[in-house]
C-alpha cells in the first residue's frame, strides 16, 4: 500500500541546506542576466551573511515570446563561479528533463519547479522520471491556480520516484479577483498543506506574492506568523534595470534591512508556558460547547424537516433565511465578531441544514 502523506519520510531541511540564520533565506536574482550581474549580486549577498543558498532562473517562462527568456546553459558557468567564490549552494528552476540533465551536469545543488510547470502533471511526471535514482533536493512551487491537491500531487510524484529532500514554496495564486498583491497569498492553502503534510518544509516566496518591494515586509511577516520554514526572495544588485520582475527585486542591502525589521516568532512547541496551557484548556471547553450547540441545532432542523414534509413545504425558505442572516450577523457584530466571518459561518450552517432536510423530505 502507498504510504499516506503524513507517513512520507521527508528529510529535514537542515540536513540538506545549512541555515545561515533563522528564518532560512534563499536569495538571488529572478534571472541570470549577465556574468557581472550574477557575481555582483552574489558578492553583496555574501556580505550580508544571511543567505543559505543562491537562486537564479536561467530558463525563464515568459507569457510572450518577445520577453527575455534567459541565457540558458551559458549561465550555469556564471553560477559555478558564484559557488566557487562564495561557497553558496545553487538553486535553479527546471521545467524539462533537458534542464534537469544540464543542471545535474553543472553541479546545481537544488532544483525547483516553477508555478507554470506545477500545473501540468505530464511535465511533472517527466521531471520526476528524469530524477529517478538521483539524490538532489527539489523545491516545489505552488501551481498558478489555487488547487491544493494539484500542489500535493507534484510532491507525491517526486517522492514516489525516490526524491525525499523536498520543500514546498508558496508563491501565491492567480485568482479572478485582483487585490494589491501580484499573486493572492490565500494563506489557508499553505496552512492546509502543512496540516496534511506536517514534515514537509514550507518556504514562502514573498517576491512573487507581493509583486512590489513595498509589500514584501508584510508578506514575510505574515508567513512567519504562519510558521514558514524560510524564504526564497529575489534580489538584484541593481533592481531598477532588472530584465525580469524589476518591481519586486530588492538589493542585498535592502534585504538585510528587511530581515532586521522582522519580528521572528518562536515555533510553538519550543515555548510551552503555563498561561498558554490554561487558555488552550479554555478553548477546548468552548469548542465542545460550540459543537454541542451545533448538534442541538441540527436536531431541531431535523424535527423541522418532518413538519415541512407533512405540510408539503419547500426546504428552502428564502425569507426566513434572509431574516436569520440579518439578525444573526447583527447580533454577532455586536459581540465583536466580523461580518465576513459570520456570513461564511452562517452560510455553512445553512448548507448543512438544507442537506439534512432534503434527505429527510425526499
Ligand atoms: C521565479 O522564481 O523567478 C519564477 C519564475 O517563479 P514562479 O514560478 O513562482 O512564477
Ligand atoms: Mn521572478
Amino acid at each position: 500500500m502507498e504510504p499516506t502523506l503524513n507517513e512520507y519520510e521527508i528529510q529535514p531541511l537542515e540536513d540538506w541546506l545549512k541555515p545561515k540564520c533563522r528564518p532560512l533565506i534563499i536569495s538571488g536574482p529572478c534571472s541570470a542576466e549577465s556574468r557581472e550581474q550574477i557575481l555582483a549580486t552574489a558578492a553583496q549577498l555574501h556580505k550580508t551573511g544571511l543567505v543559505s543558498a543562491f537562486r537564479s532562473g536561467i530558463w525563464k517562462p515568459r507569457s510572450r515570446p518577445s520577453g527575455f527568456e534567459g541565457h540558458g546553459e551559458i549561465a550555469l558557468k556564471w553560477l559555478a563561479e558564484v559557488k566557487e567564490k562564495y561557497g553558496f549552494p545553487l538553486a535553479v528552476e527546471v521545467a524539462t528533463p533537458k534542464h534537469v540533465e544540464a543542471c545535474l551536469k553543472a553541479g546545481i545543488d537544488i532544483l525547483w519547479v516553477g508555478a507554470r510547470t506545477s500545473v501540468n502533471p505530464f511535465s511533472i511526471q517527466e521531471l520526476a522520471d528524469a530524477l529517478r535514482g538521483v539524490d538532489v533536493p527539489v523545491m516545489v512551487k505552488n501551481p498558478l491556480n489555487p488547487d491544493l491537491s494539484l500542489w500535493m500531487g507534484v510532491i507525491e510524484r517526486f517522492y514516489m520516484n525516490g526524491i525525499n529532500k523536498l520543500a514546498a514554496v508558496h508563491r501565491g495564486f492567480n485568482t479572478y479577483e485582483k487585490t494589491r498583491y501580484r499573486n493572492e497569498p490565500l494563506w489557508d492553502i499553505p496552512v492546509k498543506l502543512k496540516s496534511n503534510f506536517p514534515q514537509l518544509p514550507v518556504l514562502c516566496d514573498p517576491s512573487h506574492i507581493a509583486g512590489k518591494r513595498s509589500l514584501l515586509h508584510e508578506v514575510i511577516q505574515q508567513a512567519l506568523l504562519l510558521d514558514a520554514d524560510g524564504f526564497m526572495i529575489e534580489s538584484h544588485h541593481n533592481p531598477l534595470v532588472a530584465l525580469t520582475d524589476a518591481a519586486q527585486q530588492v538589493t542585498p542591502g535592502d534585504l538585510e534591512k528587511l530581515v532586521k525589521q522582522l519580528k521572528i516568532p518562536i515555533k510553538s512547541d519550543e515555548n510551552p508556558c503555563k498561561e498558554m496551557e490554561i487558555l488552550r484548556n479554555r478553548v477546548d471547553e468552548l469548542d465542545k460547547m460550540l459543537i454541542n450547540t451545533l448538534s442541538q441545532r441540527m436536531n431541531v432542523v431535523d424535527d423541522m424537516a418532518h413538519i415541512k414534509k407533512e405540510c408539503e413545504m419547500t426546504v428552502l425558505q428564502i425569507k426566513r433565511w434572509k431574516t436569520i442572516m440579518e439578525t444573526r450577523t447583527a447580533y454577532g457584530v455586536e459581540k465583536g465578531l466580523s461580518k465576513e466571518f459570520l456570513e461564511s459561518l452562517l452560510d455553512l450552517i445553512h448548507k448543512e441544514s438544507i442537506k439534512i432536510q432534503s434527505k429527510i423530505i425526499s
Side-chain angles (χ1 to χ4, degrees):
M1 226 173 65
E2 290 294 338
T4 57
L5 294 184
N6 58 9
E7 289 166 352
Y8 277 19
E9 287 174 14
I10 307 279
Q11 281 208 26
L13 185 58
E14 301 74 29
D15 287 3
W16 49 269
L17 187 53
K18 291 279 159 277
K20 281 271 159 58
C21 68
R22 202 174 85 77
L24 177 140
I25 299 170
I26 298 172
S27 191
C30 177
S31 308
E33 300 168 9
S34 66
R35 176 176 174 271
E36 291 65 36
Q37 170 243 10
I38 285 289
L39 287 168
T41 305
Q44 291 178 22
L45 285 174
H46 185 250
K47 226 168 99 192
T48 68
L50 297 171
V51 174
S52 304
F54 186 81
R55 63 143 278 157
S56 177
I58 67 173
W59 298 281
K60 298 304 296 180
R62 306 309 302 277
S63 308
R64 308 279 302 273
S66 49
F68 171 62
E69 294 191 298
H71 286 293
E73 290 190 32
I74 317 163
L76 289 169
K77 290 207 181 80
W78 310 333
L79 290 174
E81 275 189 68
V82 163
K83 187 168 170 179
E84 201 182 299
K85 241 180 156 157
Y86 303 107
F88 284 129
L90 301 168
V92 168
E93 175 178 348
V94 291
T96 68
K98 259 189 152 169
H99 295 166
V100 169
E101 196 190 326
C103 283
L104 294 177
K105 224 163 97 191
I108 299 300
D109 304 275
I110 304 163
L111 307 178
W112 91 78
V113 177
R116 288 158 194 78
T117 310
S118 283
V119 291
N120 186 344
F122 287 135
S123 302
I124 293 300
Q125 193 58 52
E126 282 185 8
L127 291 175
D129 290 343
L131 285 169
R132 186 172 273 283
V134 181
D135 182 25
V136 68
V138 177
M139 303 192 296
V140 176
K141 291 223 189 180
N142 65 256
L144 293 172
N145 44 323
D147 184 337
L148 176 62
S149 63
L150 197 54
W151 196 4
M152 294 202 302
V154 181
I155 292 153
E156 288 167 318
R157 284 179 200 277
F158 284 113
Y159 185 81
M160 283 159 63
N161 271 22
I163 301 290
N164 66 358
K165 292 173 181 160
L166 283 162
V169 181
H170 169 222
R171 52 79 77 201
F173 301 89
N174 270 356
T175 52
Y176 179 68
E177 268 177 50
K178 296 288 169 220
T179 62
R180 60 213 173 99
Y181 301 106
R182 177 178 174 195
N183 290 292
E184 281 302 304
L186 305 180
W187 295 105
D188 54 322
I189 297 184
V191 168
K192 273 187 202 138
L193 180 74
K194 243 181 187 312
S195 68
N196 286 350
F197 227 153
Q199 68 286 45
L200 179 75
V202 180
L203 308 177
C204 174
D205 168 349
S207 309
H208 291 89
I209 293 176
K212 47 181 166 306
R213 283 178 280 281
S214 59
L215 283 181
L216 288 170
H217 178 268
E218 71 165 76
V219 172
I220 299 177
Q221 191 62 66
Q222 182 60 21
L224 272 179
L225 292 175
L226 297 178
D227 206 18
D229 295 290
F231 298 93
M232 169 140 97
I233 181 165
E234 290 183 342
S235 56
H236 192 294
H237 74 295
N238 187 4
L240 298 178
V241 300
L243 297 181
T244 56
D245 290 352
Q248 70 195 30
Q249 302 201 60
V250 285
T251 62
D254 284 346
L255 172 64
E256 201 172 352
K257 281 186 208 143
L258 203 58
V259 172
K260 278 200 185 120
Q261 285 164 6
L262 292 172
K263 289 199 183 80
I264 300 170
I266 299 166
K267 294 209 169 227
S268 60
D269 45 1
E270 290 167 18
N271 184 32
C273 70
K274 194 76 205 143
E275 289 95 317
M276 181 58 88
E277 218 169 282
I278 294 169
L279 291 174
R280 281 188 173 159
N281 289 338
R282 181 85 185 109
V283 164
D284 291 349
E285 278 167 30
L286 288 167
D287 283 350
K288 227 181 193 173
M289 282 164 64
L290 209 59
I291 289 169
N292 286 337
T293 306
L294 279 172
S295 155
Q296 282 170 28
R297 191 192 193 281
M298 292 310 166
N299 287 340
V300 175
V301 161
D302 190 302
D303 292 344
M304 285 163 76
H306 291 99
I307 297 179
K308 282 185 181 174
K309 191 173 184 175
E310 239 170 70
C311 305
E312 296 182 5
M313 285 167 77
T314 53
V315 169
L316 180 64
Q317 297 288 323
I318 204 72
K319 251 167 91 184
R320 164 78 179 149
W321 171 239
K322 281 196 154 194
T323 312
I324 289 182
M325 259 306 214
E326 277 163 24
T327 52
R328 277 34 159 199
T329 306
Y331 183 70
V333 167
E334 229 181 85
K335 291 278 171 192
L337 298 171
S338 87
K339 191 163 174 278
E340 194 192 358
F341 167 67
L342 288 159
E343 283 173 356
S344 40
L345 178 67
L346 289 165
D347 220 37
L348 214 62
I349 292 175
H350 189 230
K351 263 191 207 141
E352 183 66 10
S353 306
I354 287 184
K355 203 165 123 193
I356 291 174
Q357 293 197 339
S358 302
K359 220 164 151 186
I360 292 171
I361 295 179
S362 60

